[in-house]
Amino acid sequence: KENRQTLLFSATFTQDINMGCTPATVNFGIPDITGIAGWTWDFGDGSPVNTTDQNVTHIFTNATSSTILYRTVRLTVTSASGCTDSKTSMMTVYPAVDATFTASDDTVCSGSQLIFTGLPGANIYTWDYGDGLSGPGGSAVQHMYTNTTGLPVPLTVQLITSSYYGCTDTMELDIVVMPMPVAQFSANPATQNYLPAGNPVSFLDETTPVSTLWTYTWDFGDGGNSTLQNPDYTFMGGIGTFDVTMTVTNGKCTSQVTHPVTILPPPPTAMFDTIPDGCAP
């Protein structure tokens, strides 16, 4: 009887994984409770023992930044006659890897770079810049963005970090790529003769790309200014060359261009005195 009871009475249990990254979820189970009147699960991490569940799921955590933790899981079973049996198993819990990163700005002008900075300590850093380009890099990388449209383009940057133990973490960050104006204009006429009543000039905005986001500031070089897109202006400063400057911005990205407008002296009027009549010679 004693030999038969011993054969039927065992603390054998199953464990689906023996190592994992924190938080590691592990499933334990007692496949056969023949001869077992009670049991106690002790997960070796300070959590309360479980005396209720035949099949139990436990989450192991590792709050350290670089230390591997080893937890001894023990199952103790008790027979109806009070005999006990125990079995232990090791669970290895790897530390987490953190994919937290920051950007040098949340908005960038087309043709400019952003710097992304992650936390040190990962083995592999895989960056996805949100514009179709991605690949491995270090904990700190820089990337140039291009926007040829006239509107802001929202993008999502993603970082996946991997540890030496195969643990991974992912973080995403939203940025906006603003269009960059290329300021340009023409003046009609750019050169004319002085008029006593003033010299009118029409200015035509030729900034690219075309956008409804642009705001304009004109400095006509003689103290006058305007905020219209295509202003008409009359120069009253007399003869000379006036440097006209147009500044275009969308509040984040700015471009500026300067062209001269020249007011020439009035053309001469041909005139000579009459020759009086007289006797020869």
Side-chain angles (χ1 to χ4, degrees), residues 94-114:
Y94 297 119
V97 61
D98 194 343
T100 299
F101 71 97
T102 59
S104 55
D105 201 342
D106 60 2
T107 306
V108 63
C109 297
S110 177
S112 297
Q113 293 182 333
L114 284 180

Side-chain angles (χ1 to χ4, degrees), residues 10-15 40-42 72-77 85-89:
S10 173
T12 300
F13 66 89
T14 60
Q15 178 177 342
T40 300
W41 292 101
D42 185 345
T72 300
V73 180
R74 179 182 298 274
L75 172 64
T76 302
V77 296
D85 188 29
S86 295
K87 179 186 176 181
T88 61
S89 176

Side-chain angles (χ1 to χ4, degrees), residues 99 101 103 114 116 124-138 141-145 154-161 169-175:
F101 71 97
L114 284 180
F116 301 105
I124 299 174
Y125 296 82
T126 304
W127 295 91
D128 184 334
Y129 301 105
D131 59 356
L133 297 177
S134 62
V141 294
Q142 58 185 14
H143 185 71
M144 178 179 291
Y145 287 93
L155 298 175
T156 299
V157 182
Q158 182 188 78
L159 171 62
I160 300 175
T161 53
D169 191 33
T170 302
M171 177 182 168
E172 293 182 344
L173 191 66
D174 294 329
I175 64 168

